[in-house]
Amino acid sequence: MKIKKLFARATGGAVESDLGPYRKVVEKIHGRPPGRVADPELRTASERLAREVRAEGPGSGPPEPKNVVEAFALVREASRRVLGLEPFDVQIIAGLAMTGRRIAELPTGEGKTLAAVFPAYLHALSGRGVHVLTFNDYLARRDAAWMGPVFALLGLSVGCVQEGMPVAERRRAYASDVTYAAAREAGFDFLRDRIAYSAADLVHRPFHMALVDEADSILIDEARVPLVISGTAGRSPQDAGGLAALVRTLEHGRDYDTDAEHRNVFLTDAGIDRVEAALRSGSLYDDANRGLLEAVHCALHAEALLRRDMDYIVRDRRVEIVDEFTGRVVDGRHWPDGLQAAVEAKEGLPRNSEGRVLGSIALQQFFGLYPRLCGMTATARSAAAEFREFYGLNVVIVPPHVPSLREDLPDAVFAHVEAKHAALVREIGRAHAAGRPVLVGTASIRESERLSGDLGAAGIPCEVLNAKNDEAEAAIVARTGMPGAVTISTNMAGRGTDIRLGGAEEGGRDAVIALGGLYVIGTNRHESLRIDRQLRGRAGRQGDPGSSRFYVSFEDDIFVRYGLEGMLKKRHGTGQGNEPVTGRVVRDEIAHAQRVIEGQNFDIRRSLRKYSSLVERQRRIVQDWRDAVLLSGRRVATGPERAREWEAVGIVGRKAPVLFTEGEARFGKGHAGELERKLTLLAIDKAWSDHLAWVTDSRESIHLVSVGGMSPLDEFVRSATAEFLDVPRRIEDAVLAGFGSRTEKDGPLDLDADGLKGPSSTWTYLVNEDQFGWGMEMLKGRNIGLAAGAALYAGPLFVLSLLADRLRKKRPNSVS
């Protein structure tokens, strides 16, 4: 074991399990008791430490060891006094790991919320703010209220950001020493700041440190989901309802087909003929039919690949998307605009407001804006390579303070899904009859409702969780540990909420312990091993007994989607009986398939990062320019990424000094400068929005170049760079034209009445990136022969639709 630790330390392994150095610091912390001092004296000690930390300056290095020891000792004492909680050594170790910019893996139920206070307090002493970023608004609000008194006793302020909060309240929350917020909400506020037209509308201050709760979900699973902000725009001319009706008449296998992983759909030659005849459009490949071609493909994608109550639900006459990893509805998530419209038309729903994308950033890029980043989760080690590659963060494995007693039973494997469901009902009924609480994790809303119906028919009462009300969810999950309780939920329900044996008040704890504790049952294996571990982790908290088991069939969605169903049945039988398929070999094959699928998803995230990194560098260049204009200063963009020198303001004076002099005479010096400033902000936003639209169009089609032996990524970088180099010219032309036209007009200058204002409304949402072929390894250029064969197999409409996208000129894109 010592040799393994030394080797990992010498080779810089992404996973650290040697806690020796941390334990030495913990001993020093225990050796620094504050003594019998009153609360005011404790606060005075905190204020003195803050002065010392601020005197060190804003260096990027780790905190001074003496400051770490004193800060952690103060937090430990404040926790005792305010919360009545004595922090475990493992909580302090997790805090030390995060202080050193690492991901701390601390098992479920070990108190990560309190562990986060240690590094948050230490880094907040600098006065530059710390963001504790959570999975949702409820957890942010709960944790801020719960831990706030600890910070308050030590003289630090705590803020909490919630969806729908007014701008002034958001600014106050971000001005606090420690701010709790949902990660997505902080990201959306960043995007809103990027299109502000007045410094008074900004809510964020410069970023300093982010501590990410549920780090694997937010930094890995959500990493490829871009945050998007849109503004008002016109409607699409395409008849989404008519196209939805048309594609419903098409027959799978004759008119269209899908790829092996059911990620993409394409028309066959027969399907092309049928669509063209029905639409009387002539060739779909004509330049005039580009928009129609896109709309047809979106309608077909919505009809063939997206399933109601699995990929999305319809509620209050709105489409709400179900997260692929959690099985839960996600607030504010949309597909790219054409696909969103197609799904709404498929369901006969009214089209919601369309708009053009004003700004976008992937969460992965957003977190890169923080000089200091760390996090915590119960399931990090299997994602350690990604944490290291994408964020430069190692994972520190922190054991529970009491050894786990949970028993993880072997999978129960069945050839057919009906046999699996019958076995599930029997097993749940057996545990319920004995009085043992059961938590069942399903992969979809449809499955949870079906299982609930089956249990009801068998006389087994249960509670079902598949909605988005986080507070109600937490309350129900807290009751999950009651004797005889049966709770059916999506896989991550109640994450961040303890399941106490015997119920919230633990009245039936002894009875449940005698029965073996909470029994967690998973109804599917999932694309990520971490999701399985998260579900298992609901049982056996803090040394409690518990057990977990997964029920799997060869017909589960994960095996059908990846074309493994036939292989598994061929090797292990296809009998119709209800008996499970026995043997270690089948379980090993399923585990291997799961690791392969997880690796493919890792590759997709890596590929998306390569593409988005270039766009993020471009965004920062443009943003530097815009920030300087917003703050009315003169600044030249600098840095290794710059394509040319861009002056922040003074475009008219440099390019057309006579025109600017006329403007000053016409409006006055101050008003002429304000006119130019407003025109420049609007021109920057318009040019960047157009560039984002071009990038979206290009990325959707760029993989086709692999058929010719070229690298899609290299071609994308080349073309996106060339396109970006034209952005400053377009901005300058727009500013000059706008200034000239308004100088020539009669009457007083009224910036708002003259149309010089931003969009009348904006809205934010998330976009699923992997909807149009990002998972298609066959078109990534790694195997030219395979790529060419895939292109031939895909059919002429699919290939020519990509060609049409590739030939598309610069134009605005609308998304809602």
Side-chain angles (χ1 to χ4, degrees), residues 401-412:
H401 79 286
V402 177
S404 174
L405 299 179
R406 189 186 71 233
E407 182 183 12
D408 295 327
L409 301 169
D411 292 357

Side-chain angles (χ1 to χ4, degrees), residues 182-201:
R184 288 190 284 251
E185 198 63 26
F188 286 141
D189 281 333
F190 171 79
L191 290 178
R192 294 185 190 102
D193 279 357
R194 302 286 69 80
I195 61 168
Y197 284 86
S198 168
D201 294 330

